[in-house]
Amino acid sequence: AREQAQLRAGVVEEDTEEWQKDSHFAGLERVGGVDLSYIKGDDTGACASLVVLSYPALEVLYEDCRMVAVSAQYVAGFLAFREVPFLVEAVRRLQQEEPKLTPQVLLVDGNGLLHPRGFGVACHLGVLTDLPCIGVAKNLLQADGLVRDELHREQIRSLQREGDTFPLTGTSGRVLGMVSCGDYNNSSKPLYISVGHRVCLETAVRLVKSCCRYRIPEPIRQ
């Protein structure tokens, strides 16, 4: 928890790049996606993946998928300590082998500020690589009083008609993320988008939406 708090101090919750300030993201050419997927029934064998796509065409430029042995125990709220070292390794390999393909932003299968201590895997990876990062989760992580109760489900149902977003405001009054329901591929299941590092929430939501052909944004889907 102490290490997490020290790293948390390095998170930048605002846009730092010129392309982020442009309504069409002019200047953005490479978007990365990262994920660590486990073998069914085995919580130590996993595949660490990094994919880089062109933007806005979303064509694959680079992929790195490696089987890894996860040794750190899973502790709720500290998932990043299990997973991030492998994702950092993948980013470092890319920066050494194909530096021209280094992504200008990473979409992370997981949460950023939407986390009990405001430091999910997307923040952790962002601070360690110093790349802009966005957390994109498929399920609501319960933090700061946020719960998937009937009110939450009703808000999601109302979105499906509008194809819009609503903020996730914790009991502290802080906005931790945004729920986005797209009409892509007729999916009514929401995405939970949160700031990881060097991006503001509004920009994060716009970028994720622009990367969706289906429910899951293309960099993470690939």
Side-chain angles (χ1 to χ4, degrees), residues 52 61 99 162 177 198 213:
V52 182
L61 300 174
E162 299 162 20
R198 291 179 56 185
R213 286 178 179 158

Side-chain angles (χ1 to χ4, degrees), residues 124-201:
H124 207 126
L125 183 62
V127 170
L128 293 184
T129 61
D130 201 32
L131 290 172
C133 281
I134 298 168
V136 184
K138 297 181 280 291
N139 298 298
L140 175 65
L141 180 67
Q142 304 197 356
D144 194 10
L146 293 168
V147 286
R148 195 177 169 79
D149 57 10
E150 188 48 42
L151 172 64
H152 183 77
R153 285 191 281 270
E154 180 51 44
Q155 285 176 303
I156 288 170
R157 282 194 289 272
S158 71
L159 280 189
Q160 288 166 24
R161 292 189 291 272
E162 299 162 20
D164 213 69
T165 57
F166 71 83
L168 287 163
T169 307
T171 48
S172 64
R174 185 170 161 77
V175 175
L176 300 179
M178 198 73 82
V179 181
S180 172
C181 262
D183 47 12
Y184 18 78
N185 209 31
N186 299 320
S187 175
S188 58
K189 292 177 178 174
L191 290 175
Y192 296 88
I193 302 167
S194 55
V195 168
H197 184 52
R198 291 179 56 185
V199 64
C200 77
L201 185 56

Side-chain angles (χ1 to χ4, degrees), residues 21 34 59 72 84 133:
K21 294 159 190 165
V34 292
E59 288 165 353
V84 162
C133 281

